[in-house]
Amino acid sequence: KAGVTQTPRYLIKTRGQQVTLSCSPISGHRSVSWYQQTPGQGLQFLFEYFSETQRNKGNFPGRFSGRQFSNSRSEMNVSTLELGDSALYLCASSATGHLYGYTFGSGTRLTVV
Amino acid sequence: GENVEQHPSTLSVQEGDSAVIKCTYSDSASNYFPWYKQELGKRPQLIIDIRSNVGEKKDQRIAVTLNKTAKHFSLHITETQPEDSAVYFCEANPSGGYQKVTFGTGTKLQVIP
């Protein structure tokens, strides 16, 4: 079956712009989580959505937001981009949540210039 | 909230030797402990996991041990091969699936042929 699909794979934006990233989970998975990965900070949790509801949120500013649709697809939005937002943004899906591990997508590499 | 410490940050071993990576966690309510492998330029992949009702789990050359009293769990790789070279992340999840995801900071394993 298809894995977790993230689009786009690469993105270049300028400071102050906003960006929307998309994630399509594995069919039947209702939990979608987002992570930011940088060389210095490792993997950091952004938020998790389950059945269209944000269930958990990490310690990121309000510029980072997300949503989940009825088909479980999720989007992440970052407004007023800063240079420090340059990172690999990973999405992962799970059938029920954390207790059964996650399947990750390939990520979106965001570069802010 | 949960705090996960992972050691060592880097590890070099000769091909055929064993490698051990250790994680300690703070929340005694954690009961699910997955490990992920991330090869250079690729997505993290779940390689093995363990739940709190089990002390050890093995899958071919990899094993995970859990000591709930001491709040630590370890990844063991035996007969290492060059393809084991990657960054390994641990994770600790409190029960209920409604908690923030907390990853270790990662261990870069290099297997020297």
Side-chain angles (χ1 to χ4, degrees):
Chain A
K1 57 183 177 182
V4 179
T5 303
Q6 290 187 247
T7 56
R9 290 295 308 275
Y10 302 93
L11 206 49
I12 300 175
K13 291 285 189 178
T14 56
R15 287 170 52 188
Q17 286 188 310
Q18 75 165 18
V19 65
T20 299
L21 312 182
S22 179
C23 173
S24 293
I26 290 173
S27 178
H29 282 192
R30 296 165 64 190
S31 170
V32 174
S33 292
W34 289 88
Y35 309 84
Q36 182 193 67
Q37 187 173 35
T38 59
Q41 298 295 323
L43 267 173
Q44 290 189 292
F45 172 72
L46 280 154
F47 30 67
E48 185 216 2
Y49 286 87
F50 186 86
S51 294
E52 302 179 65
T53 301
Q54 187 180 86
R55 197 158 69 169
N56 280 298
K57 190 176 189 300
N59 297 320
F60 278 80
R63 299 185 298 106
F64 292 81
S65 63
R67 60 178 175 169
Q68 186 180 34
F69 302 95
S70 59
N71 62 358
S72 293
R73 188 177 72 86
S74 178
E75 288 182 347
M76 189 190 90
N77 185 275
V78 187
S79 62
T80 320
L81 284 166
E82 300 177 359
L83 295 178
D85 296 334
S86 296
L88 178 67
Y89 290 89
L90 290 160
C91 159
S93 76
S94 171
T96 57
H98 313 305
L99 298 183
Y100 295 91
Y102 282 101
T103 300
F104 284 85
S106 296
T108 294
R109 173 75 63 183
L110 172 65
T111 302
V112 183
V113 297
Chain B
E2 179 63 274
N3 181 46
V4 178
E5 294 189 0
Q6 183 173 345
H7 299 281
S9 57
T10 61
L11 180 60
S12 291
V13 300
Q14 292 289 330
E15 182 178 357
D17 287 350
S18 295
V20 181
I21 304 169
K22 182 178 176 180
C23 286
T24 58
Y25 60 98
S26 60
D27 191 340
S28 57
S30 291
N31 64 357
Y32 176 61
F33 308 92
W35 284 91
Y36 296 88
K37 174 184 179 183
Q38 187 175 25
E39 296 177 71
L40 189 62
K42 297 188 177 180
R43 73 189 78 181
Q45 288 191 302
L46 176 68
I47 56 172
I48 195 167
D49 56 11
I50 191 168
R51 299 180 192 282
S52 59
N53 58 345
V54 176
E56 182 176 359
K57 183 177 179 180
K58 191 173 181 179
D59 183 4
Q60 298 182 339
R61 294 186 299 106
I62 60 172
V64 56
T65 58
L66 171 64
N67 184 326
K68 286 218 73 177
T69 302
K71 294 186 197 168
H72 67 71
F73 57 109
S74 299
L75 177 70
H76 303 256
I77 307 174
T78 59
E79 300 173 26
T80 53
Q81 301 169 5
E83 52 264 38
D84 294 329
S85 296
V87 178
Y88 292 81
F89 293 96
C90 65
E91 182 189 330
N93 284 290
S95 59
Y98 288 90
Q99 305 296 322
K100 292 183 176 63
V101 176
T102 306
F103 289 92
T105 49
T107 296
K108 184 176 181 180
L109 173 65
Q110 181 183 19
V111 180
I112 303 166

